[in-house]
Amino acid sequence: MRLSVNGRPHELPEGTALTGLLETVAPDPRGVAVALNGSVVRAAEWPAIPLREGDLVEVVTAHQGG
């Protein structure tokens, strides 16, 4: 299936959950926030969220520093 991750095209096998995507784009989940189709998804829900063709995923990682 094809979807968008941070505005870029991305392909994943059908049936991939949000955690499957995050393992490739954000292997360290600390400080990561995710929005799916414009709605923030709590980290506790990531394993239960299936991705679908055409989904828009935004992955943001917080960094310390000034």
Side-chain angles (χ1 to χ4, degrees):
M1 75 182 139
R2 286 182 272 174
L3 47 92
S4 174
V5 179
N6 292 344
R8 296 185 178 162
H10 204 89
E11 287 202 38
L12 291 171
E14 292 288 334
T16 300
L18 185 54
T19 49
L21 168 67
L22 294 174
E23 289 171 359
T24 61
V25 299
D28 183 355
R30 291 179 293 176
V32 173
V34 178
L36 176 62
N37 299 322
S39 297
V40 174
V41 181
R42 297 180 340 170
E45 298 171 347
W46 295 350
I49 302 292
L51 295 173
R52 295 183 173 85
E53 178 83 20
D55 276 345
L56 303 174
V57 182
E58 296 292 329
V59 180
V60 178
T61 303
H63 294 276
Q64 286 185 314

